[in-house]
Each structure stands twice: as C-alpha cells, then as structure tokens.
Amino acid sequence: MTGRPRTRLSATVLGAPEPRELAEFYRRLLGWRVKWDEPDWVMLEAPGGGAGLSFQREDEHVRPVWPAARGDQQMMMHLDIEVDDLDEASAYAVAEGASVAEYQPQEDVRVLLDPAGHPFCLFLPGH
C-alpha cells in the first residue's frame, strides 16, 4: 500500500437509551432529514452533504454532568451549533425538549442539554 488510504468522516455518534427519540430531537432542532432508521441506530443527513449525526442505543447510558467535577460522569464530546439569534434559538431548543444548563461559561455562548443529557452549545457567528 502506498500513501494514505481514502478516508471520510461519516458522522458523529451520540449514545442514548432511546436513539430514535434523541434523533427526533436533533432532526427538529437542525432541520435535517433521517438517512437511516433502524431500531438501535438512526442517522441524520446534513443538507448539502458533509458529516451527519448518528444515534446508537446504549442501554447503560449515564447522563453526563455539566460541568463535571472529579468522579462525575463526564461528557465525551459536545456539539457546537451556530445560530443567528441566541435567545430565539435557545427558546426553540427548550421548546423541543432541551434544557438550559445551570452553568454558563460565556455570555455569547449558550450551553444546553439534550433530552439524553448531552451538552451542546449554541453560538453566534464570529465567536
């Protein structure tokens, strides 16, 4: 073999006890369409291509703590979602099932928790 093999990031995967419910939350939040839907796996497709967002069943899922202290279940990653209006986007996310995290580290970024407890950040362009 010569050189680097062809690779392409397909998706970021979030685990949850109910992957279809979490996928439906992000489908509404992002306006993306479902590409694959299986009992334990759902993939959302980004408009215009690019990496998607997938959800897999994890029966032993433990909600991460934000912000985590020593010994707490820590998040493995989080999503950054660019928005045009922070207050409007936050209100919409909450109406769809998210909750606003108690701890907010920056004024121009809003940390929310999805229905499975995964933190995600809404931010304005240029921040």
Side-chain angles (χ1 to χ4, degrees):
M1 185 166 99
T2 60
R4 186 182 64 78
R6 180 192 164 278
T7 59
R8 183 177 73 84
L9 180 64
S10 172
T12 297
V13 180
L14 295 175
E18 298 295 335
R20 282 187 168 147
E21 289 178 16
L22 192 57
E24 180 59 20
F25 166 77
Y26 280 104
R27 187 198 64 74
R28 292 188 313 266
L29 182 70
L30 299 171
W32 291 11
R33 73 172 197 86
V34 174
K35 183 175 182 177
W36 288 312
D37 185 353
E38 299 174 8
D40 296 330
W41 179 271
V42 179
M43 182 179 195
L44 300 181
E45 182 175 48
L53 191 55
S54 295
F55 307 88
Q56 71 181 15
R57 179 172 310 282
E58 289 184 4
D59 292 326
E60 302 302 319
H61 174 74
V62 176
R63 294 174 67 95
V65 176
W66 170 255
R70 184 179 302 260
D72 288 342
Q73 176 67 35
Q74 297 186 10
M75 67 176 169
M76 297 296 292
M77 47 75 69
H78 72 273
L79 302 174
D80 284 341
I81 301 170
E82 184 177 312
V83 299
D84 294 330
D85 183 301
L86 198 54
D87 291 332
E88 182 181 344
S90 296
Y92 180 77
V94 168
E96 292 298 332
S99 59
V100 177
E102 188 174 316
Y103 175 66
Q104 297 292 323
Q106 299 166 276
E107 281 188 36
D108 55 353
V109 175
R110 191 79 36 85
V111 180
L112 291 100
L113 306 174
D114 71 22
H118 301 287
F120 64 96
C121 295
L122 302 179
F123 70 96
L124 298 170
H127 292 94

PDB file of all heavy atoms in Angstrom, residues 37 44 47 54 65 70 83 88 96:
ATOM      1  N   ASP A  37     -32.782   4.619   9.535  1.00  0.00           N
ATOM      2  CA  ASP A  37     -33.566   4.454  10.758  1.00  0.00           C
ATOM      3  C   ASP A  37     -33.717   2.970  11.029  1.00  0.00           C
ATOM      4  O   ASP A  37     -34.441   2.265  10.324  1.00  0.00           O
ATOM      5  CB  ASP A  37     -34.932   5.117  10.597  1.00  0.00           C
ATOM      6  CG  ASP A  37     -35.749   5.078  11.874  1.00  0.00           C
ATOM      7  OD1 ASP A  37     -35.338   4.426  12.862  1.00  0.00           O
ATOM      8  OD2 ASP A  37     -36.826   5.701  11.881  1.00  0.00           O
ATOM      9  N   LEU A  44     -28.860  11.047  10.888  1.00  0.00           N
ATOM     10  CA  LEU A  44     -29.378  12.239  10.243  1.00  0.00           C
ATOM     11  C   LEU A  44     -28.384  12.697   9.198  1.00  0.00           C
ATOM     12  O   LEU A  44     -27.164  12.621   9.402  1.00  0.00           O
ATOM     13  CB  LEU A  44     -29.604  13.360  11.258  1.00  0.00           C
ATOM     14  CG  LEU A  44     -30.589  13.079  12.379  1.00  0.00           C
ATOM     15  CD1 LEU A  44     -30.717  14.295  13.289  1.00  0.00           C
ATOM     16  CD2 LEU A  44     -31.941  12.665  11.843  1.00  0.00           C
ATOM     17  N   PRO A  47     -27.764  18.709   5.312  1.00  0.00           N
ATOM     18  CA  PRO A  47     -28.090  19.237   3.989  1.00  0.00           C
ATOM     19  C   PRO A  47     -26.814  19.632   3.251  1.00  0.00           C
ATOM     20  O   PRO A  47     -25.895  20.168   3.852  1.00  0.00           O
ATOM     21  CB  PRO A  47     -28.938  20.472   4.284  1.00  0.00           C
ATOM     22  CG  PRO A  47     -29.322  20.386   5.710  1.00  0.00           C
ATOM     23  CD  PRO A  47     -28.318  19.509   6.389  1.00  0.00           C
ATOM     24  N   SER A  54     -25.318  10.688  14.095  1.00  0.00           N
ATOM     25  CA  SER A  54     -25.944   9.384  14.323  1.00  0.00           C
ATOM     26  C   SER A  54     -26.213   9.173  15.803  1.00  0.00           C
ATOM     27  O   SER A  54     -25.578   9.795  16.658  1.00  0.00           O
ATOM     28  CB  SER A  54     -25.046   8.259  13.805  1.00  0.00           C
ATOM     29  OG  SER A  54     -24.908   8.330  12.410  1.00  0.00           O
ATOM     30  N   VAL A  65     -22.550  14.990  33.504  1.00  0.00           N
ATOM     31  CA  VAL A  65     -22.764  16.118  34.400  1.00  0.00           C
ATOM     32  C   VAL A  65     -22.038  17.309  33.803  1.00  0.00           C
ATOM     33  O   VAL A  65     -20.876  17.212  33.394  1.00  0.00           O
ATOM     34  CB  VAL A  65     -22.219  15.798  35.812  1.00  0.00           C
ATOM     35  CG1 VAL A  65     -22.346  17.008  36.729  1.00  0.00           C
ATOM     36  CG2 VAL A  65     -22.930  14.587  36.391  1.00  0.00           C
ATOM     37  N   ARG A  70     -14.624  16.032  39.768  1.00  0.00           N
ATOM     38  CA  ARG A  70     -13.933  14.750  39.916  1.00  0.00           C
ATOM     39  C   ARG A  70     -14.924  13.670  40.336  1.00  0.00           C
ATOM     40  O   ARG A  70     -15.708  13.858  41.252  1.00  0.00           O
ATOM     41  CB  ARG A  70     -12.817  14.871  40.935  1.00  0.00           C
ATOM     42  CG  ARG A  70     -11.982  13.610  41.066  1.00  0.00           C
ATOM     43  CD  ARG A  70     -10.871  13.799  42.078  1.00  0.00           C
ATOM     44  NE  ARG A  70     -10.014  14.907  41.694  1.00  0.00           N
ATOM     45  CZ  ARG A  70      -8.830  14.780  41.083  1.00  0.00           C
ATOM     46  NH1 ARG A  70      -8.373  13.584  40.808  1.00  0.00           N
ATOM     47  NH2 ARG A  70      -8.107  15.833  40.784  1.00  0.00           N
ATOM     48  N   VAL A  83     -25.857  29.773  15.382  1.00  0.00           N
ATOM     49  CA  VAL A  83     -27.214  30.288  15.249  1.00  0.00           C
ATOM     50  C   VAL A  83     -27.164  31.781  14.917  1.00  0.00           C
ATOM     51  O   VAL A  83     -26.148  32.437  15.136  1.00  0.00           O
ATOM     52  CB  VAL A  83     -28.040  30.052  16.538  1.00  0.00           C
ATOM     53  CG1 VAL A  83     -28.159  28.563  16.852  1.00  0.00           C
ATOM     54  CG2 VAL A  83     -27.449  30.800  17.726  1.00  0.00           C
ATOM     55  N   GLU A  88     -33.507  33.380  20.603  1.00  0.00           N
ATOM     56  CA  GLU A  88     -34.534  32.677  19.836  1.00  0.00           C
ATOM     57  C   GLU A  88     -34.191  31.196  19.676  1.00  0.00           C
ATOM     58  O   GLU A  88     -35.041  30.328  19.864  1.00  0.00           O
ATOM     59  CB  GLU A  88     -34.691  33.331  18.460  1.00  0.00           C
ATOM     60  CG  GLU A  88     -35.766  32.710  17.602  1.00  0.00           C
ATOM     61  CD  GLU A  88     -35.876  33.382  16.241  1.00  0.00           C
ATOM     62  OE1 GLU A  88     -35.351  34.494  16.059  1.00  0.00           O
ATOM     63  OE2 GLU A  88     -36.488  32.763  15.351  1.00  0.00           O
ATOM     64  N   GLU A  96     -38.336  22.276  22.144  1.00  0.00           N
ATOM     65  CA  GLU A  96     -38.224  20.961  21.503  1.00  0.00           C
ATOM     66  C   GLU A  96     -37.749  19.871  22.463  1.00  0.00           C
ATOM     67  O   GLU A  96     -37.676  18.715  22.089  1.00  0.00           O
ATOM     68  CB  GLU A  96     -37.291  21.042  20.295  1.00  0.00           C
ATOM     69  CG  GLU A  96     -37.857  21.857  19.154  1.00  0.00           C
ATOM     70  CD  GLU A  96     -39.147  21.295  18.583  1.00  0.00           C
ATOM     71  OE1 GLU A  96     -39.365  20.062  18.654  1.00  0.00           O
ATOM     72  OE2 GLU A  96     -39.967  22.089  18.090  1.00  0.00           O
TER      73      GLU A  96
END
